[in-house]
Amino acid sequence: MDHDLKHAHELRQAAFKLYASLGSNDEDIRKKITETENMMDRIVSGLSESSIKVRLAAVRCLHSLSRSVQQLRTSFHDHAVWKPLMKLLQNAPDEVLVMASSTLCNLLLEFSPSKEPILESGVIELLCTLTQSDSPALRVNGIWALMNMAFQADQKVKVEIVRCLGTEQLFRLLSDPDSNHIDQIMSSHGKQILQAVTLILEAEHSVEVKEQTLCILANIADGNTAKEILMTNDDMLQKIKYYMGHSNVKLQLAATFCISNLIWNEEDGSQERQDKLREMGFVDILHKLTQASDPNLCDRAKTAMQQYLA
């Protein structure tokens, strides 16, 4: 009996994986899969299968099908796929959580009829928890889902997301060691984030607050597309320049770190960024800072200058 059950699980797992591969990039095949009699019911029931491998294969299959706008509007809505998916997200191994949360991201797109009932189920708190995961993939999916949810949402939803996520956690995500987060957040909310940073740097805040804000800019400058968003904001670059010449060495260090990340040689577009920043007078400031009395500031400035010489 055990052998037969294991064999059955292996066959179901293989079948779901096959459907996931077949439908991954082809809309016509996705349509055929969902129109096959009882197929959606079988996939949905696979989400609660006792075998973890079958559950993972079933959710992979759903993820593949969820790439279709048409299926999100029809089959996924008709079978209330979001319910077992949400249940799966409550307690599952990371590999299942990653695939389930990726699928949820698609279900939360603006045109998906599942978006509203998912929102009413209290999903915001769950997604905010994902952004605190040790897994980079789960953090990415959590923030993507929240972004999809916030798109063209009413003010109440946006306020609830900010309340639940918290500004500290948002800034923490901007300081994430995985630069993909930075690019994704900046691509969607770059303008608002830089506005918030500007307000802090211009207002009467403590050195500690401004230092942390400059560190956020330094982490933004570590992203790939985020670099370009920062490079096109001359006002922000001038603020970084101002703090490089500030009387407080902590602020000078943080500001110099921003520039160091922007001009780093090993990254695409570094030559163009270096040229623009040279024209704006940053090289002259770096040269002066190599003579600074503070050894940390002196070293950081020298490291940045080396990027121009390499």
Side-chain angles (χ1 to χ4, degrees), residues 40-277:
M40 284 301 292
D41 290 330
R42 290 195 184 107
I43 297 171
V44 169
S45 68
L47 297 178
S48 55
E49 183 67 66
S50 60
S51 165
I52 186 67
K53 290 182 178 179
V54 175
R55 289 205 301 274
L56 180 57
V59 79
R60 273 186 179 155
C61 190
L62 270 185
H63 180 241
S64 185
L65 297 174
S66 74
R67 290 177 177 147
S68 164
V69 174
Q70 183 61 30
Q71 299 313 319
L72 285 174
R73 285 176 168 163
T74 55
S75 302
F76 275 62
H77 181 56
D78 295 343
H79 291 83
V81 167
W82 68 271
K83 288 182 180 178
L85 196 62
M86 285 289 290
K87 188 176 179 183
L88 194 61
L89 282 163
Q90 303 296 327
N91 184 25
D94 275 7
E95 59 180 342
V96 176
L97 281 177
V98 168
M99 199 55 62
S101 54
S102 294
T103 310
L104 190 67
C105 286
N106 292 341
L107 266 70
L108 286 169
L109 289 164
E110 182 214 357
F111 49 76
S112 168
S114 302
K115 181 177 181 177
E116 200 59 40
I118 292 172
L119 185 58
E120 290 171 1
S121 74
V123 73
I124 293 176
E125 195 168 328
L126 171 66
L127 296 176
C128 289
T129 302
L130 287 185
T131 70
Q132 299 170 16
S133 170
D134 291 335
S135 161
L138 285 176
R139 295 198 300 274
V140 168
N141 287 351
I143 204 70
W144 261 122
L146 288 170
M147 286 193 295
N148 286 349
M149 188 180 290
F151 181 70
Q152 293 191 351
D154 59 35
Q155 193 65 17
K156 182 183 174 184
V157 173
K158 291 178 180 177
V159 168
E160 179 60 19
I161 290 172
V162 172
R163 184 201 66 75
C164 188
L165 188 62
T167 51
E168 282 188 17
Q169 174 63 1
L170 183 57
F171 284 161
R172 204 175 291 121
L173 288 165
L174 281 169
S175 304
D176 198 279
D178 184 346
S179 64
N180 285 333
H181 287 94
I182 301 164
D183 284 335
Q184 288 163 356
I185 295 172
M186 289 302 295
S187 295
S188 298
H189 302 294
K191 186 178 177 182
Q192 299 95 309
I193 288 168
L194 290 183
Q195 283 174 347
V197 167
T198 300
L199 287 172
I200 294 169
L201 292 178
E202 288 180 347
E204 294 294 323
H205 288 290
S206 68
V207 168
E208 288 75 20
V209 170
K210 290 193 174 184
E211 181 189 11
Q212 287 303 309
T213 306
L214 287 167
C215 286
I216 288 167
L217 278 181
N219 281 291
I220 290 171
D222 199 34
N224 295 320
T225 57
K227 274 183 171 66
E228 301 313 314
I229 295 172
L230 201 49
M231 286 300 299
T232 57
N233 192 318
D234 286 355
D235 180 48
M236 188 59 71
L237 292 175
Q238 290 293 347
K239 282 182 172 51
I240 295 171
K241 187 177 175 182
Y242 166 77
Y243 282 103
M244 285 175 74
H246 199 275
S247 58
N248 187 287
V249 71
K250 287 183 178 180
L251 299 181
Q252 287 181 290
L253 275 164
T256 305
F257 193 29
C258 293
I259 293 305
S260 186
N261 278 348
L262 287 173
I263 62 177
W264 203 256
N265 261 330
E266 296 173 9
E267 313 210 339
D268 291 343
S270 61
Q271 188 61 58
E272 292 82 358
R273 290 192 293 275
Q274 286 183 5
D275 291 345
K276 178 174 180 175
L277 293 170

